[in-house]
């Protein structure tokens, strides 16, 4: 159709980037960008990869040349569960309790509970008089907007 696309800043868009999620463990490609776990193997190893479709309809992934998986925080293993720590009497989960309530799989009850809570927060009525959108208030709580999976970054790296 030869229509020119314009960005909100009124500049012409020359290239349109599209992304998919690719599992670093089993190389499965998922087009659902809201996923955190691979639908095939169940690991939290999805990485965002740019892709394109040519005129023949062939789908092509554009991978980084020397992509290295980040192994930061893998020095120590996940701490073992301590008997009685589920009731709060005994503190377990390693130094500082970082191993408590880790989310390691999609079917884990902690992940399902957190996703239900997040879903409830998203279902806000715009017609509610008490609710102001974050764009008006400037409130940027949970900027990532995703549930924390695993121990996080630098959990067992040296502190200054």
């Amino acid at each position: 159709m030869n229509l020119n696309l314009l960005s909100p800043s009124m500049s012409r868009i020359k290239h349109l980037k599209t992304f998919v999620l690719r599992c670093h463990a089993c190389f499965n490609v998922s087009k659902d960008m809201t996923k955190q776990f691979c639908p095939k193997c169940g690991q939290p190893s999805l990485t965002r990869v740019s892709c394109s479709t040519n005129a023949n309809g062939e789908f092509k992934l554009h991978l980084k040349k020397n992509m290295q998986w980040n192994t930061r925080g893998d020095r120590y293993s996940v701490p073992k569960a301590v008997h009685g720590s589920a009731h709060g009497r005994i503190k377990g989960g390693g130094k500082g309790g970082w191993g408590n309530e880790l989310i390691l799989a999609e079917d884990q009850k902690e992940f399902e509970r957190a996703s239900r809570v997040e879903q409830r927060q998203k279902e806000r009525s715009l017609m509610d008089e008490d609710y102001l959108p974050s764009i008006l208030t400037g409130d940027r709580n949970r900027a990532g907007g995703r549930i924390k999976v695993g121990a996080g970054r630098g959990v067992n790296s040296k502190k200054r």
Side-chain angles (χ1 to χ4, degrees):
M1 288 176 59
N2 273 344
L3 291 176
N4 291 326
L5 294 174
L6 293 177
S7 69
S9 62
M10 300 305 285
S11 61
R12 191 174 135 237
I13 297 175
K14 297 173 187 171
H15 302 287
L16 190 64
K17 284 193 172 188
T18 53
F19 296 97
V20 292
L21 294 174
R22 179 177 174 260
C23 181
H24 190 73
C26 68
F27 310 114
N28 183 39
V29 176
S30 172
K31 293 183 180 181
D32 185 9
M33 294 298 288
T34 60
K35 290 272 186 194
Q36 284 188 279
F37 293 92
C38 175
K40 188 175 179 184
C41 68
Q43 296 296 316
S45 55
L46 291 174
T47 55
R48 192 177 77 152
V49 177
S50 61
C51 64
S52 64
T53 308
N54 63 9
N56 298 335
E58 296 169 354
F59 185 72
K60 183 178 179 183
L61 296 175
H62 303 287
L63 302 173
K64 294 179 182 176
K65 186 177 178 184
N66 292 324
M67 194 270 190
Q68 296 290 316
W69 186 257
N70 184 12
T71 58
R72 182 177 173 187
D74 290 345
R75 176 179 280 178
Y76 306 113
S77 59
V78 175
K80 291 181 181 176
V82 178
H83 177 69
S85 62
H87 303 292
R89 293 186 297 253
I90 302 171
K91 298 292 182 190
K95 187 177 183 180
W98 68 268
N100 290 334
E101 296 189 18
L102 284 178
I103 298 174
L104 302 172
E106 193 171 17
D107 58 348
Q108 205 170 333
K109 65 180 179 181
E110 289 86 1
F111 182 77
E112 291 174 355
R113 185 182 316 126
S115 61
R116 267 188 265 120
V117 168
E118 187 178 350
Q119 198 72 20
R120 253 186 266 125
Q121 288 176 348
K122 282 185 179 178
E123 294 175 2
R124 284 201 170 143
S125 174
L126 292 175
M127 301 306 287
D128 186 12
E129 294 176 7
D130 298 331
Y131 171 67
L132 282 173
S134 62
I135 212 156
L136 295 174
T137 61
D139 184 29
R140 295 284 187 252
N141 56 350
R142 292 204 51 191
R146 303 191 105 190
I147 300 166
K148 182 183 159 196
V149 173
R153 293 193 57 135
V155 69
N156 43 26
S157 62
K158 289 185 178 178
K159 306 284 189 282
R160 285 188 181 184

